Amino acid sequence: MNGTPRPSRTDPPARRDFRLLLSGAVAAQAGSQVTLVALPLVAVVELDATPFQVGLLTAAETAAFLLVGLPAGAWLDRMRKLPVLVRSDVLRCLAVGSIPPAAALDALSLLQLYLVALVTGVATVFFDVAHQSFLPVLLPRERLVAGNGAIETVRSSAQIAGPGLGGGLVQLLGAPLAIVADAAGYLLSAVLLTRIRAEEALPAPEPGRSLRADIAEGLRFVTRHPLLRVIAATTALSNLFGAVLMAVQTVFWVRVLDLAPAAIGILLSVTATGGLAGALCAGRLAARIGQARLILLAPLVTAPFALLWPLADGGAGPVLFAVGGVVVLFGAVVYNVAQVSFRQSLCPPRLLGRMNATVRFLVWGTLPLGALLGGAVAEAAGPRAALWLCAAGFLVVPLPLLLSPLRGLRDLPPAPADADPDGSPEADPDGDPDTDPDADPGEAPADRPADAADADPLDIRTP
């Protein structure tokens, strides 16, 4: 069987490597959250972009998932993941780092912003797919929920601190110069990742395999699995309407609510507390109500709060917007921790890159479409109309889950650790089966997902 070895990952070197991975995530996320505030403000305030042009900028940031999403996974399944993570961070550092000097020379243009967004998006595709495929190298399968919860905790913590910092930097230094923090974050992340010492085997080549065949195998694995298929459809819908929000929210805040950059940063930071709460609660909720139920209930219960966004107006407008964002983001993070952990535990190691890339292609490929849709609606009917479209879309998001087998499940069914795409298990090279042959297939897994904040063998510590 091809794939990476499975050494013990509870010893001090494993804990050190996982903490380095988390620290790199802190650095990169903190910087990128500054740019979340600064980049659209560069377009809206500095370059006087129209709503559709801002939507086009958002589309450029995510278009890479449509352009290279599928081949990226096939390529990554043929190489070590850690060097890809480092190179992606360096490329993102150079791309966003080009904005401040161009602004200082009065040479900054929307074209450059589009190019930076596109290059950064391509690097992010490779980084994200490699990151999700590298995590099982550091963690045993039974700790993936805790590991993903810890990463989401880091991400959410950065989303709380980063936008507030970004808004303050934009207020003090101007939007272009504030982006220096993002470039520095990517550089620091690359440095931290180079210190990881985990042994990652180079995947063994499969004679006669073509890139096209590898891509097709990843697509079959995802589209033929009934639960993966419905999870992909649900997430794609959520991202479609989430991109509508991303495309118009800055225009709405600046030109409708008349918010200053510092206030926008605070609003984003407050909203991000929902994500942190979701990351901290996801494991406990999965253990209490079941992982399958959690995937279903998280969007079903929280999506209606998106209606608060288009209702935001007057002095209470920012408060309504923040409350809606806190609740919706809480549900999104809880849902993500549950479904990503399921995908990682279901997939054989040799297919992780292709599986993650296929899912990313399907679910992130809707982002540029949603951004263009949001920009077009805002241009034609105003940003509030686009927010109404977004809110209505979020109400539709849970429908695929309600119509799927998940509706009758408490826990997701256990799967052989090294199953082929057709569902047949591969032989374990050590002769030890990954599942109990006498176990009732209808029973829930013996190991309930651990809470991300509880103690675990890796002694994970998060901010």
Side-chain angles (χ1 to χ4, degrees):
M1 181 186 69
N2 296 328
T4 54
R6 301 180 189 174
S8 172
R9 285 159 284 188
T10 60
D11 53 9
R15 292 197 297 269
R16 173 185 176 276
D17 285 342
F18 188 74
R19 287 169 181 160
L20 285 170
L21 189 71
L22 285 177
S23 299
V26 170
Q29 282 294 318
S32 64
Q33 292 305 309
V34 172
T35 297
L36 178 67
V37 180
L39 191 61
L41 283 174
V42 171
V44 173
V45 178
E46 302 286 335
L47 300 177
D48 198 28
T50 67
F52 183 75
Q53 288 173 329
V54 177
L56 189 59
L57 178 62
T58 303
E61 293 180 270
T62 53
F65 288 97
L66 282 176
L67 299 176
V68 297
L70 285 177
W75 288 326
L76 284 167
D77 275 337
R78 303 179 179 197
M79 61 183 71
R80 294 184 177 92
K81 312 302 184 293
L82 185 57
V84 175
L85 294 173
V86 174
R87 292 166 189 161
S88 298
D89 269 339
V90 172
L91 182 57
R92 292 191 290 187
C93 171
L94 294 174
V96 299
S98 70
I99 294 176
L105 296 172
D106 199 25
L108 188 62
S109 66
L110 279 171
L111 177 60
Q112 181 178 347
L113 293 188
Y114 294 148
L115 291 174
V116 168
L118 186 60
V119 170
T120 303
V122 170
T124 297
V125 169
F126 283 92
F127 184 92
D128 285 354
V129 174
H131 196 274
Q132 286 193 350
S133 304
F134 184 63
L135 185 62
V137 175
L138 301 182
L139 297 182
R141 281 185 174 87
E142 65 272 15
R143 304 313 305 163
L144 286 174
V145 169
N148 282 308
I151 289 172
E152 286 295 340
T153 300
V154 165
R155 190 191 316 276
S156 299
S157 299
Q159 287 172 345
I160 292 173
L165 173 63
L169 288 175
V170 171
Q171 195 89 32
L172 290 173
L173 307 174
L177 192 56
I179 290 176
V180 170
D182 194 7
Y186 288 133
L187 181 59
L188 179 57
S189 174
V191 171
L192 290 169
L193 290 172
T194 59
R195 299 181 61 199
I196 291 177
R197 294 291 178 261
E199 294 184 7
E200 183 186 4
L202 181 67
E206 298 183 39
R209 296 289 295 183
S210 66
L211 184 65
R212 181 177 178 180
D214 285 346
I215 293 172
E217 187 176 12
L219 276 169
R220 285 196 304 271
F221 183 84
V222 173
T223 58
R224 290 183 180 180
H225 194 288
L227 296 182
L228 284 181
R229 193 165 58 233
V230 73
I231 286 171
T234 301
T235 312
L237 272 176
S238 178
N239 284 342
L240 176 70
F241 295 106
V244 173
L245 174 68
M246 291 166 55
V248 303
Q249 64 182 9
T250 300
V251 176
F252 183 78
W253 293 335
V254 172
R255 296 177 182 169
V256 177
L257 297 184
D258 195 27
L259 297 183
I264 290 174
I266 292 171
L267 177 58
L268 286 168
S269 292
V270 171
T271 298
T273 61
L276 177 60
L280 293 172
C281 295
R284 186 178 290 111
L285 288 172
R288 180 168 298 176
I289 68 176
Q291 196 173 359
R293 284 182 187 166
L294 191 60
I295 291 174
L296 172 63
L297 289 176
L300 183 64
V301 173
T302 61
F305 284 82
L307 292 168
L308 294 178
W309 294 329
L311 292 172
D313 201 3
V319 175
L320 287 176
F321 214 102
V323 171
V326 166
V327 178
V328 173
L329 189 56
F330 174 89
V333 170
V334 168
Y335 168 85
N336 278 335
V337 170
Q339 61 93 4
V340 169
S341 301
F342 169 62
R343 282 163 35 203
Q344 289 171 330
S345 62
L346 173 75
C347 186
R350 70 182 186 86
L351 274 174
L352 271 173
R354 278 166 282 176
M355 181 275 293
N356 285 324
T358 300
V359 172
R360 285 296 177 101
F361 170 78
L362 295 173
V363 306
W364 287 65
T366 59
L367 287 172
L369 304 179
L372 292 174
L373 175 63
V377 172
E379 185 92 6
R384 193 181 299 276
L387 290 178
W388 277 116
L389 172 65
C390 170
F394 268 94
L395 295 179
V396 177
V397 164
L399 283 181
L401 299 172
L402 289 170
L403 299 174
S404 77
L406 277 170
R407 188 178 56 183
L409 297 177
R410 181 191 187 278
D411 289 289
L412 292 165
D418 295 306
D420 275 335
D422 62 2
S424 59
E426 291 183 352
D428 190 316
D430 299 323
D432 296 326
D434 288 310
T435 57
D436 183 358
D438 299 323
D440 183 351
E443 291 180 352
D447 294 328
R448 297 288 189 198
D451 188 270
D454 289 343
D456 67 80
L458 288 172
D459 191 25
I460 296 171
R461 295 289 184 267
T462 55

